[in-house]
Amino acid sequence: KYETNTLDEVDFELDVEEFEFEGLHVLVVEDNKINQVITKKMLDKKKITCDIANNGNEAIDNAKANTYDAILMDIHMPGISGEEATRQIRKFDQDIPIIALTAISLDDSLESFYDAGCYDVLT
């Protein structure tokens, strides 16, 4: 048993300076060229290298052929969606962190992203 206000009393704040990003290598799955450039620049600032996949099929192929520290997966893409690509990747790699990137719409269900195998969702 616990008191309902216990969680409100826990001090928890992430300090970005505590994390070591340099040397990480991630796969960015994004069909929009502008978003690819912006994401790559943001990662470069943290000294994170990345490969770019333009669609779900490329994401699956890259995940099979390379080792990544994480995958940043756009959910809304033509062809194979990010959710389906995540399901396919989970068939051969259950451990890699996959983080969904999406502009949430009313049709989206966060639960479906988690059910597909995403660790988290960034909007």
Side-chain angles (χ1 to χ4, degrees), residues 1-19:
K1 287 187 171 185
Y2 67 94
E3 294 183 31
T4 56
N5 65 351
T6 303
L7 293 177
D8 296 333
E9 296 172 10
V10 176
D11 285 332
F12 182 74
E13 187 173 324
L14 294 176
D15 182 2
V16 176
E17 301 304 319
E18 293 178 21
F19 295 96

Side-chain angles (χ1 to χ4, degrees), residues 14 19 23 39 41 49 66 71 77 80 82 84 95 99 101 106-107 109 111 120:
L14 294 176
F19 295 96
T39 303
K41 285 187 179 199
T49 60
N66 300 288
I71 298 174
M77 294 181 291
I80 294 180
E84 182 55 32
D95 298 323
I99 300 166
L101 303 176
L106 294 176
D107 296 333
S109 164
E111 280 305 310
D120 209 345

